[in-house]
């Protein structure tokens, strides 16, 4: 019993003297993600039309995907104080602590016929994001003069990334990932 007390005393003294201390805190970002929260854009216009909007959950982030018939090119994704409708500029009521205005430089209609290529069943809830760690709401903001916009309500102003992917087939995708934490 005296040995246990002696060891405990020695350990407590070492901690008190700073001989046993935790290592330095890691400077690594959450999940190794090195994203930011500033606007991301590419001004290139595209004739590819929006065909679908979907979302998914990943270990380190939530993902929004805009499917296009043709090559995805231009976009503008930025945090805003309020999401507004295309054309009218009227505000859209959104849930969340922060809001991303997502604009694909592609129409949600066929340029030749003017026929819609994507119409959400519910403009206020384009996809169901209940239970997502970061996403709170995906709302339709419209498609006007070759641009298609969505509002993305998120838990807080968190880092995000935007990129395009080719496929499947001759289609493509505009992808927006929002991290769960900084």
């Amino acid at each position: 019993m005296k040995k246990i007390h002696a060891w405990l005393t020695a350990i407590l003294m070492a901690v008190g003297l700073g001989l046993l201390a935790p290592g330095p805190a890691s400077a690594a970002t959450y999940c190794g993600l090195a994203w930011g929260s500033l606007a991301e854009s590419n001004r290139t216009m595209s004739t590819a039309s929006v065909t679908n909007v979907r979302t998914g959950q990943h270990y380190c982030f939530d993902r929004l995907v805009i499917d296009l018939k043709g090559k995805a090119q231009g976009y503008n994704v930025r945090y805003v104080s309020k999401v507004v409708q295309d054309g009218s500029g009227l505000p859209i009521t959104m849930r969340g602590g922060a809001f991303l205005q997502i604009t694909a430089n592609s129409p949600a209609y066929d340029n030749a016929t003017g026929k819609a290529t994507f119409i959400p069943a519910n403009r206020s809830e384009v996809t169901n994001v209940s239970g997502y760690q970061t996403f709170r709401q995906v709302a339709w903001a419209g498609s006007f003069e070759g641009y298609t916009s969505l509002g993305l309500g998120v838990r807080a102003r968190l880092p995000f990334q935007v990129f395009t992917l080719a496929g499947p087939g001759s289609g493509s995708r505009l992808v927006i990932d929002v991290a769960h934490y900084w």
Side-chain angles (χ1 to χ4, degrees):
M1 193 66 153
K2 286 186 179 187
K3 282 187 177 184
I4 293 174
H5 287 300
W7 276 106
L8 285 174
T9 304
I11 291 172
L12 289 173
M13 287 180 62
V15 169
L17 294 172
L19 299 174
L20 294 177
S26 172
T29 58
Y30 172 71
C31 283
L33 306 176
W35 307 340
S37 63
L38 297 178
E40 292 192 31
S41 66
N42 174 339
R43 293 180 181 225
T44 307
M45 290 302 292
S46 174
T47 57
S49 54
V50 174
T51 59
N52 194 25
V53 176
R54 54 197 169 93
T55 54
Q57 300 178 71
H58 296 268
Y59 179 74
C60 297
F61 55 88
D62 289 346
R63 172 170 284 179
L64 181 132
V65 178
I66 300 172
D67 293 319
L68 299 159
K69 182 180 179 182
K71 184 177 180 186
Q73 293 185 345
Y75 54 84
N76 186 352
V77 180
R78 60 192 165 89
Y79 278 104
V80 294
S81 59
K82 61 184 174 191
V83 174
V84 297
Q85 293 178 9
D86 277 352
S88 71
L90 294 173
I92 297 173
T93 302
M94 298 286 302
R95 290 187 307 277
F99 312 110
L100 282 167
Q101 178 98 30
I102 299 166
T103 303
N105 296 359
S106 298
Y109 50 84
D110 181 276
N111 278 323
T113 64
K115 183 178 177 188
T117 56
F118 178 72
I119 301 172
N122 182 341
R123 296 172 63 93
S124 296
E125 303 290 336
V126 176
T127 67
N128 181 2
V129 293
S130 62
Y132 280 54
Q133 194 163 347
T134 297
F135 290 176
R136 296 296 179 258
Q137 182 182 6
V138 179
W140 183 252
S143 189
F144 184 71
E145 293 185 346
Y147 297 91
T148 300
S149 294
L150 297 162
L152 178 60
V154 295
R155 182 174 48 79
R157 186 177 175 128
L158 295 162
F160 67 91
Q161 71 170 349
V162 182
F163 58 96
T164 60
L165 292 171
S170 62
S172 62
R173 296 157 282 167
L174 174 61
V175 179
I176 298 92
D177 293 336
V178 183
H180 294 161
Y181 301 101
W182 273 98

